[in-house]
């Protein structure tokens, strides 16, 4: 089954805004996929629906063949989400943030302690494991968001504009982390409004504008059209 299969998805907000107008797309297992589009295109709405934070108006979403409406918790176990806003507790240490997150997802504590060390090392944050998160640099905070989502070893990692508003050095550090996550076998989907970001990271992409997918295919094919 595809890692993500979206079929004729629609979302109309209560105020009448049609944020998604019959969006269909498919992402293969192992892919590094970008959803590229300008502000207001519907990227956050799409991610909200896939991660069960926003109710769809119509259509279906399957994660590795599991329908999110029919088997919500099974589907959510396959998925890790990195939201746009940094939302961990700044007064906890990175180590505690990861261990507590895993605990929330039902992981036994002994295992969580081991996983937290692995993920902090992978995100090059092991040296900062015991400091207060408030003192981390912007780039470290962003990498901690990724490490946290990876704690449960999701098969699909979804990131909503992971590098919005961060400078190029921080962006490059995050790209490195994400490439390693993908190389280790995790399917990665990110939204972005930077073509450069999609180009440096992704094999396949979809371009979304005003709630509709206007192009979809391999990065190389789409670049040749621009
Ligand atoms: P993004 O940075 O993804 O474009 P926005 O800045 O448009 O997101 O929106 C920030 C937050 O406000 C989101 O939680 C979004 O759901 C909400 N929001 C955006 N537009 C509206 C709107 N027209 N009415 C109500 N809430 C909105
Ligand atoms: P993007 O992430 O690509 O910037 P969004 O999904 O945030 O796009 O927004 C798509 C459209 O839906 C925009 O017109 C936005 O104002 C609107 N929108 C987003 N969230 C809400 C909301 N909670 N209520 C009403 N309108 C919203």
């Amino acid at each position: 089954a595809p890692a993500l299969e979206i079929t004729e998805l629609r979302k109309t907000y209560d105020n009448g805004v049609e944020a998604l107008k019959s969006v269909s797309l498919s992402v293969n297992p192992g892919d590094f996929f970008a959803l590229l589009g300008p502000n207001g295109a519907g990227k956050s709405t799409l991610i909200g629906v896939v991660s069960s934070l926003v109710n769809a108006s119509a259509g279906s979403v399957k994660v590795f063949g599991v329908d999110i409406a029919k088997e919500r918790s099974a589907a959510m176990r396959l998925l890790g989400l990195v939201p746009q806003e940094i939302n961990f507790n700044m007064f906890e240490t990175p180590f505690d943030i990861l261990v507590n997150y895993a605990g929330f997802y039902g992981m036994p504590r002994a295992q969580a302690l081991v996983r937290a060390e692995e993920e902090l090392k992978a995100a090059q944050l092991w040296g900062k494991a015991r400091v207060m998160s408030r003192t981390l640099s912007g780039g470290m905070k962003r990498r901690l968001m990724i490490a946290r989502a990876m704690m449960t070893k999701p098969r699909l990692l979804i990131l909503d504009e992971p590098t919005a508003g961060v400078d190029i050095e921080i962006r490059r550090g995050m790209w490195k982390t994400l490439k390693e996550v993908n190389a280790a076998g995790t399917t990665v989907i990110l939204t972005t409004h930077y073509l450069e970001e999609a180009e440096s990271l992704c094999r396949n992409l979809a371009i979304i504008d005003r709630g509709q997918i206007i192009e979809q295919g391999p990065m190389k094919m789409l670049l040749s059209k621009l």
Side-chain angles (χ1 to χ4, degrees), residues 13 15 17 38-41 43-45 84-85 160-161:
Y13 284 106
N15 60 0
V17 172
N39 283 325
K43 303 183 297 297
S44 295
T45 300
Q84 205 176 102
E85 307 298 331
D160 193 4
E161 303 229 17

Side-chain angles (χ1 to χ4, degrees), residues 90-111:
M90 292 290 167
F91 296 94
E92 288 179 2
T93 68
F95 194 80
D96 287 343
I97 288 167
L98 298 200
V99 169
N100 293 341
Y101 176 87
F104 181 79
Y105 283 90
M107 191 184 293
R109 186 165 173 86
Q111 189 187 346

Side-chain angles (χ1 to χ4, degrees), residues 82 94-99 101-102 107 111-129 140-155 157 177-178 180-182 184-186:
V82 179
F95 194 80
D96 287 343
I97 288 167
L98 298 200
V99 169
Y101 176 87
M107 191 184 293
Q111 189 187 346
L113 298 176
V114 173
R115 290 285 304 124
E117 179 171 345
E118 287 170 358
E119 287 304 329
L120 288 168
K121 285 178 174 166
Q124 292 167 284
L125 288 170
W126 184 235
K128 298 284 181 181
M140 290 174 180
K141 286 175 184 155
R142 294 278 173 173
R143 296 205 304 276
L144 181 56
M145 293 287 286
I146 297 172
R148 184 180 63 173
M150 291 305 296
M151 277 297 286
T152 56
K153 294 197 175 176
R155 290 176 68 193
L157 181 68
T177 302
L178 291 174
E180 288 165 2
V181 164
N182 180 242
T186 309

